[in-house]
Amino acid sequence: MSKPATQPDIDAPRTSSMAVPVAGQHAVAPTRRRYFMLLLILVATVINYLDRVNISSVAPFMTKDLHIDKFHMGMIFSAFAWTYAFALLPAGFLVDRLGSRLSYGLSLVTWSLATAAQSVAGGFASLFGLRLAVGLMEAPAFPANSRAVAMWFPERERGLATSVFVMGQYLGTALFSGILIWIAGTYGWQTVFVMSGAVGLLFGIGWFFWYRDPLKSTANQQELDYLREGGALAGNQERSRFRWADIAYLMRHRQVWAICIGKFASSSSLYFFLTWFPTYLIDERRITLLKAGFFSVMPYVGAIVGILLAGSISDMLIRRGHPMSFSRKLPLVVGSALGMSIVLANVATSDGFAIAILTIAFFAQGISATSWAAVGEVAPKELIGVTSGITSFSANLAGIVTPTVVGYILRETGSFHAAFNFIGCVALVGTLSYSLLLGRLHRIELPQRAR
């Protein structure tokens, strides 16, 4: 496909990623536009997860006002994942066709409107329906994130860049969880949804103005050269037609299956914290609202440390000459194995010990969340969004299963003990998948006939 004359030809051969000065001239330093784009992705992810989890912060108040029992609240928690999971595959295709700017911008605006609408929910049915809508509209977010990072970052920086945007799923909750609980208790749970929706809507409008793919951005030619030579897909303009045969081809690869299973396992822990954790603190541990706001932050801080540490170490191993496959797989295996520690919460006799155990478990989940970097390494360059959609679909099946199973356990037993055992067993399955099934990571190439 020919490129517009006004755009730099990033695919043209280059002698070096560094500008070579001509006599009497100074070398032109590469711009760092990619870091601004990463900041935009991080903020968007913070808002994305704020609108996913705000319902868990208001659940103790909402259940009383709307007379919803724990089993039905578990169904409401899972409603988001029903539409989100099943919309991920078409959303991934949409991202590959429209690009990250348009698909993410539309997603931001529409899910923010659905979030604000939850403030007028009057019972189980209306709240369940609105959570379905939020899940549907958020589906393009992570495929768009994965595509943007693959476009903007070379291989040796991609692990940390992925960690930064994935950090957003913990950062928003760590920063705002206590505040949301306080707002719900002081001004009513409806206010939480109105404020969350307004923030997302404003940023969604800003996204259209600020985000660009590399070739359409203000990055100079030196930065574009640096991206291309480092393995970024900055110049990839290919747009594939949707083919079920491509899906079948991807699913013939053990890499895809192993990542799907592993992401389901780590997401089981994630969705517990996103949904039932505040209820555990308030109802099971009998912690006051003030302490609950403080304690609820600690596991998210642990997860932030885990994701940044894992991404940094993974990139460092690559820079020191270790194989990419080993460098990306190590945090997946370690994080999944450490995630089994959540079962120790069952023997915690003090609030402090329980929070320490759960912080370690969520730290482990943060480590294993670097699986997004692994997706970026194995996905065919024509199908980054679709591959991200497939693996994210598996991850978000945990969003259907975990909240519902935990809600059922609570209704039948009145305790979180069996719930922690369930999550620990799933973590074991993820460990086995990453360590035994995954094999060597490498980019999947589409057959020539499918290009």
Side-chain angles (χ1 to χ4, degrees):
M1 180 183 295
S2 62
K3 296 179 174 61
T6 57
Q7 297 297 336
D9 187 355
I10 197 170
D11 293 325
R14 299 281 183 264
T15 58
S16 171
S17 60
M18 302 299 295
V20 179
V22 180
Q25 295 182 350
H26 296 287
V28 178
T31 53
R32 298 178 179 268
R33 195 63 178 168
R34 62 192 181 280
Y35 296 118
F36 175 70
M37 299 305 170
L38 183 59
L39 176 63
L40 293 179
I41 297 169
L42 172 62
V43 174
T45 305
V46 168
I47 296 172
N48 180 286
Y49 266 79
L50 176 65
D51 291 344
R52 291 193 199 194
V53 305
N54 52 18
I55 193 169
S56 67
S57 297
V58 305
F61 311 97
M62 182 184 294
T63 52
K64 294 177 181 178
D65 284 355
L66 301 183
H67 307 290
I68 301 173
D69 64 27
K70 284 185 168 57
F71 176 70
H72 285 90
M73 197 66 218
M75 292 182 63
I76 291 172
F77 283 153
S78 73
F80 169 93
W82 279 100
T83 47
Y84 184 80
F86 286 98
L88 279 167
L89 186 56
F93 171 70
L94 185 71
V95 168
D96 284 331
R97 293 292 294 176
L98 300 182
S100 295
R101 177 175 176 264
L102 183 56
S103 59
Y104 212 155
L106 292 173
S107 179
L108 269 160
V109 170
T110 53
W111 94 54
S112 298
L113 293 173
T115 295
Q118 290 172 90
S119 62
V120 299
F124 171 81
S126 57
L127 191 57
F128 188 84
L130 287 169
R131 293 299 295 175
L132 291 174
V134 175
L136 178 65
M137 300 308 171
E138 283 199 12
F142 268 68
N145 284 346
S146 186
R147 180 184 183 276
V149 168
M151 295 280 286
W152 271 104
F153 285 87
E155 183 180 273
R156 57 183 169 270
E157 297 181 6
R158 200 173 296 154
L160 183 58
T162 299
S163 295
V164 168
F165 87 72
V166 174
M167 179 182 68
Q169 68 188 30
Y170 314 114
L171 185 61
T173 309
L175 292 175
F176 301 116
S177 181
I179 297 174
L180 294 181
I181 292 174
W182 177 79
I183 291 174
T186 305
Y187 299 103
W189 56 267
Q190 296 90 342
T191 307
V192 170
F193 291 124
V194 173
M195 293 179 63
S196 300
V199 170
L201 182 61
L202 291 175
F203 185 79
I205 295 172
W207 174 270
F208 284 111
F209 287 97
W210 298 322
Y211 180 83
R212 296 291 187 276
D213 280 343
L215 290 182
K216 297 181 180 179
S217 73
T218 57
N220 65 8
Q221 188 63 44
Q222 286 69 33
E223 183 175 15
L224 296 177
D225 290 345
Y226 173 76
L227 299 182
R228 178 186 62 82
E229 294 175 8
L233 302 181
N236 179 37
Q237 299 295 306
E238 299 181 51
R239 296 289 185 267
S240 58
R241 297 178 60 186
F242 179 78
R243 291 162 43 94
W244 285 107
D246 291 339
I247 307 299
Y249 180 75
L250 289 172
M251 298 311 295
R252 293 207 300 267
H253 290 77
R254 60 188 290 182
Q255 296 182 106
V256 176
W257 278 102
I259 292 174
C260 285
I261 295 170
K263 287 177 78 68
F264 175 89
S266 65
S267 294
S268 294
S269 174
L270 172 65
Y271 271 102
F272 166 76
F273 283 96
L274 295 182
T275 56
W276 283 111
F277 182 52
T279 301
Y280 168 75
L281 295 178
I282 295 172
D283 290 356
E284 177 106 344
R285 306 297 311 188
R286 303 295 179 184
I287 294 176
T288 64
L289 288 179
L290 181 61
K291 284 187 175 181
F294 172 75
F295 281 142
S296 64
V297 171
M298 301 308 295
Y300 289 94
V301 174
I304 290 171
V305 173
I307 184 67
L308 292 178
L309 183 65
S312 298
I313 291 176
S314 180
D315 283 352
M316 180 191 68
L317 291 173
I318 291 177
R319 287 194 297 269
R320 292 188 176 183
H322 292 276
M324 179 275 291
S325 181
F326 170 79
S327 303
R328 296 299 189 223
K329 283 178 61 176
L330 180 63
L332 304 184
V333 176
V334 171
S336 296
L338 188 58
M340 291 184 283
S341 64
I342 197 170
V343 300
L344 297 177
N346 287 331
V347 299
T349 55
S350 68
D351 294 339
F353 184 38
I355 296 302
I357 292 298
L358 293 173
T359 299
I360 292 172
F362 213 23
F363 167 79
Q365 200 282 328
I367 293 175
S368 60
T370 54
S371 57
W372 278 107
V375 173
E377 303 291 3
V378 305
K381 64 180 182 179
E382 304 91 347
L383 297 174
I384 295 175
V386 170
T387 309
S388 300
I390 291 173
T391 56
S392 190
F393 168 78
S394 178
N396 285 280
L397 287 179
I400 299 171
V401 174
T402 301
T404 306
V405 169
V406 173
Y408 176 78
I409 289 171
L410 292 178
R411 188 180 70 174
E412 296 301 314
T413 69
S415 170
F416 279 84
H417 280 61
F420 289 138
N421 290 336
F422 165 74
I423 296 170
C425 289
V426 175
L428 173 60
V429 174
T431 305
L432 295 174
S433 179
Y434 282 138
S435 58
L436 302 179
L437 180 61
L438 183 55
R440 184 181 67 86
L441 290 174
H442 59 89
R443 188 170 301 283
I444 298 170
E445 295 291 340
L446 284 180
Q448 188 65 34
R449 56 182 170 76
R451 292 173 180 267

